[in-house]
Amino acid sequence: VATRETLAFDVYGTLVDPIRLEQHLEAWLPGEGRRVSQVWRQTQLEYTWRLTAMGQYQDFAWVTHRALEHALETGGHRLTAAQREAMVARYDHLACFDDVVPGLLHLGEAGYPMVVFSNGTPRMLEALLVNTNLGQFFAAVVSVDEVRAFKPSPRVYQHLARRLDRPLEEIRLITSNGFDVIGAAAAGMRVAWVNRSDGPYDRLAAPPALTVPTLMALAGALSGAQGGSNER
Ligand code: 2OP
């Protein structure tokens, strides 16, 4: 039996949902929770891209704090330092999307080696994997913090291959984040896009051949994709 490709799972937006923090924001900022959580997430990603473009690094916990402060200021909102701390601490307890546990069970049974690959710091990822009980599914946790750059720098994908001691071409990134799909494919990885919201694809590249609505749909789609030799 040919060795199965390794599946590397993105975390925020793919396994767990940062936007759901809107519920907790809503308690302090009635009517504003969704908007603030969306600006928070978008700012967080923007800060990672900008730091990486500048050749600078602050870890994902730092970025997440600063992005929340900016999202609040942008909306003209105020939370106390303790409230902001409490919101960021919720990153350690983010809820899984409903398809994640059944999907990972299915993929694990199908024999895929599975790892986590994320912008999150090692501490954030460890806490999250313990609190969500998802740790049991993964053979390794790889953080971009190990190379002090964020996705989609090619360095982070190359680091993943080094850490797993496997060629990038034999590792498939599973992510809902379009910029991550495009970055990984540009670096030479196989990819799958999890399009949970049935939204449009990023315009920076053509959508990947492998697009699934949920992780449950991934196992079936992968068994088809493995037939093709050079499929991305
Ligand atoms: C992650 O690396 C991109 O936030 C996403 O987990």
Side-chain angles (χ1 to χ4, degrees):
V1 183
T3 312
R4 290 218 186 265
E5 63 184 8
T6 298
L7 304 182
F9 289 83
D10 171 58
V11 172
Y12 305 105
T14 299
L15 298 180
V16 295
D17 188 1
I19 301 300
R20 272 191 236 171
L21 292 180
E22 70 179 284
Q23 298 161 4
H24 302 287
L25 286 163
E26 194 63 30
W28 287 323
L29 306 169
E32 298 293 331
R34 179 138 195 105
R35 173 97 190 116
V36 173
S37 80
Q38 285 170 338
V39 176
W40 182 10
R41 171 66 173 164
Q42 197 57 36
T43 305
Q44 176 196 52
L45 292 174
E46 185 187 317
Y47 284 3
T48 63
W49 301 325
R50 285 167 50 190
L51 284 166
T52 300
M54 292 189 295
Q56 295 186 3
Y57 185 75
Q58 298 284 350
D59 75 21
F60 200 61
W62 186 98
V63 164
T64 300
H65 269 280
R66 295 307 183 283
L68 174 59
E69 287 169 4
H70 180 73
L72 291 168
E73 280 172 7
T74 300
H77 309 303
R78 289 187 79 88
L79 290 182
T80 65
Q83 287 173 318
R84 296 195 305 269
E85 287 288 333
M87 282 313 305
V88 173
R90 291 201 178 272
Y91 254 75
D92 292 351
H93 300 269
L94 288 171
C96 296
F97 291 99
D98 291 343
D99 57 292
V100 166
V101 168
L104 291 175
L105 274 169
H106 209 91
L107 291 160
E109 278 163 14
Y112 290 96
M114 303 196 289
V115 303
V116 154
F117 173 56
S118 172
N119 276 343
T121 64
R123 192 214 61 77
M124 292 170 78
L125 296 173
E126 192 189 316
L128 183 68
L129 292 175
V130 167
N131 293 333
T132 54
N133 228 357
L134 291 183
Q136 56 179 314
F137 294 108
F138 301 108
V141 177
V142 181
S143 165
V144 302
D145 191 64
E146 294 159 18
V147 285
R148 297 176 64 82
F150 289 107
K151 301 171 176 183
S153 165
R155 288 176 49 214
V156 307
Y157 305 104
Q158 288 154 4
H159 174 69
L160 173 67
R162 267 196 311 276
R163 269 287 307 276
L164 301 182
D165 200 16
R166 252 197 123 165
L168 258 184
E169 302 74 33
E170 295 176 12
I171 309 170
R172 187 182 299 274
L173 182 74
I174 314 300
T175 180
S176 65
N177 293 299
F179 78 93
D180 201 10
V181 174
I182 293 171
M189 285 181 79
R190 301 179 191 188
V191 291
W193 182 40
V194 185
N195 182 11
R196 287 210 182 77
S197 55
D198 197 20
Y201 193 66
D202 196 302
R203 283 286 170 166
L204 209 54
L210 197 56
T211 297
V212 291
T214 65
L215 294 191
M216 277 304 280
L218 188 61
L222 279 178
S223 53
Q226 290 262 300
S229 56
N230 213 9
E231 189 278 335
R232 270 187 194 162

